[in-house]
Amino acid sequence: MIVWTAASVVALAFLVMLEIAARHYGMPGPITNQAREVVFAPKSGPLLYAGMALMMVVLPWRQRWIAIGAAVGIDLVFFLVRWLVDAKMMFGNGALWVLLACVVIALTRRTGAERVLLLKGVGLGLLLVAGRKTGDTWLLITSKTRPTVLDQYVATADHALGNPSWLAGRIVEATGSVGSHILDYVYIQLAVAAVCVALYQLRNVAKERQFPAHHLVRTFLVIGLLGPAIYMIFPVVGPIFAYGGDGGHWAVADLWPHTAPTITAPQHMPFDEFTPRNCMPSLHTAWATAIFIHSRKGPRVLQVAGALWLLATLGATLGFGYHYGTDIIAGVVFTLTVEAGLRALAYGWDRPAIQLVAHGAGVFTALLVAYRYLPLQMAHHPWIYGPLMVLAVASVVHRYLRTVKQWEPAAVPVRRPQPQPQPELV
């Protein structure tokens, strides 16, 4: 209880700081944006229902149906009112109302372990929702505080990988509107996919009355917390902005996705004050990789869905011009390092865990340093640096798989009792 209270205080203080920072730039912060969704149309209705679904893992089935019915009923009332006043139509208010009602119920109607469990469930759901709001505020801060970006460095280093964003962009363009709509849906609804995997992992919480030591939501939230800090250190806007039409007069030229940029000495380039610097590393790749990792322990349909979601996310991040190939590689290493650290926190820090986290952090740092200070060498020698980057990622993947296998208890075959010889009768 002390740990959860301390975590709640830290999270609230962090939200207040982001609220103050956003107000400084004349924009509402995460607290204001979330409070508005109690009445006004939410930005993402599926995300609010996903948060409510996470909360419901602590409830028995009867109470789950009551919560779902209440949320849908409230949303129908909101729909009717918005239709009458011709306001923006969106669902999700009912799910938020149910989450807030469960806080009141936990504080007034529950006691002891039951209260703590319900508050944990509500906190999990609200953290998922608040994570989206804090992410939006972080992106605003990156655009306001980082007037120059490092896209030329990353694009030059990307030649070592063969400029995969340019290739993927032409492939997505060739698929037409159908392919674009499918990839766009996958890209936007990443949190909902994570909730599907998390619900499988947390399916026994109501029966066991406790959460598992480690699950996907923990990884998801930590990635979202640490990733934006790297944006501040390594600001990058992406090829569709720096080398495409979406960048306007700030772009180097309108090259993406048909013409790869030439290899020239990179330099810092100024950019506008509203495009997020959210490329390095690719957090969408990081989150999709986390979904893939955690889906491996699920049933076959979940494993297939996790693999397909990862592939579709990679196609979207590259094919829409939001990321370079170098961002993708950094995102995979970033995820494995975070996942290793969280697993070690849950199951204990031993020597293999420390070595794995140190190895992942070292490779991630080396990649960023190479992108910044060796881009020309990487572009001029792609057959050396390209395989080196792939091998660096493969080394982290290999160590991760080996270490996780050591953590997991080995299956011990059950010995069948041998029949004892019967004494012969004389």
Side-chain angles (χ1 to χ4, degrees):
M1 188 61 182
I2 295 175
V3 174
W4 276 85
T5 303
S8 301
V9 171
V10 171
L12 181 60
F14 182 66
L15 289 173
V16 172
M17 290 174 58
L18 287 181
E19 183 74 25
I20 295 172
R23 292 288 179 177
H24 174 73
Y25 294 109
M27 300 290 290
I31 298 176
T32 303
N33 285 330
Q34 192 61 71
R36 290 184 76 258
E37 293 187 352
V38 175
V39 177
F40 295 97
K43 184 176 181 179
S44 176
L47 182 64
L48 287 169
Y49 270 91
M52 187 184 75
L54 279 180
M55 179 274 297
M56 290 193 303
V57 298
V58 305
L59 302 177
W61 275 107
R62 179 176 175 275
Q63 295 178 10
R64 290 175 187 176
W65 289 118
I66 293 174
I68 294 172
V72 172
I74 293 171
D75 267 330
L76 289 175
V77 174
F78 272 98
F79 256 81
L80 177 60
V81 173
R82 286 175 183 146
W83 177 73
L84 291 175
V85 300
D86 195 23
K88 179 183 176 181
M89 303 297 287
M90 175 54 72
F91 63 93
N93 301 87
L96 182 57
W97 278 45
V98 169
L99 283 168
L100 298 177
C102 285
V103 175
V104 177
I105 293 172
L107 296 176
T108 59
R109 304 292 298 274
R110 302 287 178 87
T111 58
E114 293 294 322
R115 172 185 291 176
V116 173
L117 186 65
L118 182 54
L119 287 176
K120 285 182 179 180
V122 174
L124 202 63
L126 288 178
L127 277 175
L128 181 70
V129 176
R132 173 68 176 270
K133 303 303 178 185
T134 57
D136 293 342
T137 304
W138 262 118
L139 298 184
L140 169 68
I141 294 173
T142 63
S143 64
K144 297 295 184 181
T145 60
R146 293 296 179 266
T148 60
V149 296
L150 303 177
D151 280 77
Q152 292 187 27
Y153 294 88
V154 179
T156 302
D158 207 42
H159 281 78
L161 298 173
N163 301 301
S165 182
W166 271 257
L167 174 62
R170 291 194 291 272
I171 293 175
V172 171
E173 191 178 69
T175 62
S177 59
V178 175
S180 296
H181 282 105
I182 293 174
L183 292 179
D184 185 59
Y185 181 82
V186 170
Y187 193 82
I188 292 174
Q189 301 299 340
L190 189 64
V192 178
V195 169
C196 293
V197 177
L199 288 177
Y200 175 79
Q201 293 180 321
L202 305 176
R203 65 192 183 280
N204 294 323
V205 170
K207 181 173 62 177
E208 298 175 356
R209 314 311 293 166
Q210 64 178 0
F211 283 85
H214 180 57
H215 51 84
L216 175 60
V217 182
R218 299 172 78 237
T219 306
F220 227 71
L221 293 174
V222 173
I223 288 174
L225 179 65
L226 297 180
I230 303 171
Y231 293 162
M232 304 292 288
I233 300 172
F234 211 105
V236 180
V237 293
I240 196 172
F241 298 104
Y243 294 94
D246 288 14
H249 69 277
W250 297 97
V252 175
D254 191 358
L255 302 176
W256 186 89
H258 299 289
T259 306
T262 57
I263 302 176
T264 57
Q267 58 185 351
H268 288 66
M269 56 183 290
F271 217 78
D272 60 41
E273 295 184 356
F274 52 84
T275 301
R277 279 65 163 151
N278 62 336
C279 281
M280 182 62 70
S282 169
L283 291 196
H284 265 79
T285 299
W287 283 318
T289 303
I291 291 173
F292 173 78
I293 292 172
H294 284 265
S295 66
R296 296 306 87 196
K297 295 297 181 181
R300 176 67 64 179
V301 63
L302 203 61
Q303 294 179 16
V304 173
L308 292 177
W309 206 275
L310 175 59
L311 292 175
T313 301
L314 293 177
T317 54
L318 291 172
F320 290 151
Y322 296 148
H323 290 282
Y324 304 91
T326 47
D327 307 335
I328 304 300
I329 284 182
V332 173
V333 176
F334 180 70
T335 302
L336 293 175
T337 306
V338 170
E339 176 71 13
L342 290 174
R343 280 181 177 264
L345 284 174
Y347 300 112
W349 286 95
D350 52 13
R351 186 175 180 180
I354 295 173
Q355 290 176 340
L356 172 58
V357 173
H359 181 64
V363 170
F364 181 76
T365 303
L367 288 174
L368 295 190
V369 171
Y371 298 160
R372 174 61 180 82
Y373 295 104
L374 299 174
L376 279 176
Q377 290 86 337
M378 297 173 72
H380 285 300
H381 304 284
W383 293 108
I384 297 176
Y385 285 96
L388 279 178
M389 284 192 285
V390 175
L391 286 174
V393 178
S395 69
V396 179
V397 173
H398 173 70
R399 185 182 285 271
Y400 175 84
L401 293 175
R402 187 178 64 183
T403 306
V404 169
K405 187 176 181 180
Q406 293 174 359
W407 286 340
E408 293 175 349
V412 179
V414 178
R415 286 190 175 185
R416 295 182 178 180
Q418 297 294 329
Q420 298 295 327
Q422 299 294 328
E424 297 182 1
L425 297 176
V426 178

